[in-house]
Amino acid sequence: MASLSLENVCKVYPNKFEAVKNFNLQIEDKEFIIFVGPSGCGKSTTLRMIAGLEDITSGTLKIGDRVVNDVEPKDRDIAMVFQNYALYPHMTVFDNMAFGLKLRKVPKPEIEKMVKEAAKILDLEKLLDRKPKALSGGQRQRVAMGRAIVRNPKVFLMDEPLSNLDAKLRVQMRTEIAKLHQRLGTTIIYVTHDQTEAMTLGTRIVVMKDGLIQQVDTPQNLYEKP
Ligand code: ADP
Ligand code: ADP
């Protein structure tokens, strides 16, 4: 059973612009799917529709067997990590990570436990009392991921999560994301401009252009053909 499926999904913005046209994709459990393509080809729009941050104009989005077109973002079994981290500057690392759980009315002792577990996985245990401005770029990125993993979602969406980091940190975080994928056994959909990231992380790569899927294949077939 596919863990996520998009069937004829289209997005027309209110100004009539067709950003995504007839998007069809079946994603299996535990896949690491990469979206690539030029700026403006519809990658973020697709991710945002999956997250529920943008309405689907037509077509069907399923998570497992469940049609989620009209399900609120917080009730989808999905977490999204943004390019700009989107951390709350006035909150500590702990509160940033706990925020989504509080929103879902998870009991306090359970929140404590879940946040601490995620902090352990991401090596943030000693930073839980800090505010984002007292963290390095890589640490902020880990908090943003921590905020997503505390919810133990079935599907992770990552929109260029490493693009604001310097080259060295990017390589390091890439390895961490690969480990996280192994360790959590979740499905990941990941947008990137970086071919090395696409090749090393992806189980399959979706190439988009002008709102359409051009090609879907393994990194080996896409990049390593003679
Ligand atoms: P990508 O993530 O691949 O760079 P986006 O999904 O952000 O592309 O955007 C796809 C296209 O839709 C772009 O041409 C963009 O200008 C347009 N677009 C994005 N958001 C809106 C919006 N709210 N209203 C109108 N057009 C939009
Ligand atoms: P990205 O760097 O992910 O491609 P953009 O800078 O294209 O993102 O877009 C940032 C935000 O602006 C998004 O929320 C997107 O929906 C919105 N946006 C992008 N293009 C347009 C547009 N043509 N009209 C209105 N909103 C847009």
Side-chain angles (χ1 to χ4, degrees), residues 60-120:
T60 308
L61 172 67
K62 284 187 197 159
I63 299 171
D65 288 335
R66 179 182 179 216
V67 175
V68 296
N69 285 43
D70 299 321
V71 173
E72 271 194 72
K74 74 173 175 60
D75 298 325
R76 298 182 183 197
D77 207 354
I78 278 184
M80 185 147 170
V81 180
F82 296 92
Q83 179 178 33
N84 54 7
Y85 316 134
L87 301 179
Y88 299 106
H90 59 289
M91 289 185 198
T92 62
V93 168
F94 182 95
D95 289 335
N96 263 287
M97 285 168 66
F99 187 78
L101 299 172
K102 284 184 185 157
L103 207 67
R104 288 167 187 77
K105 309 241 183 315
V106 176
K108 239 182 179 169
E110 214 168 308
I111 290 181
E112 187 112 345
K113 189 166 157 262
M114 291 160 95
V115 170
K116 290 201 167 141
E117 268 171 25
K120 198 168 169 189

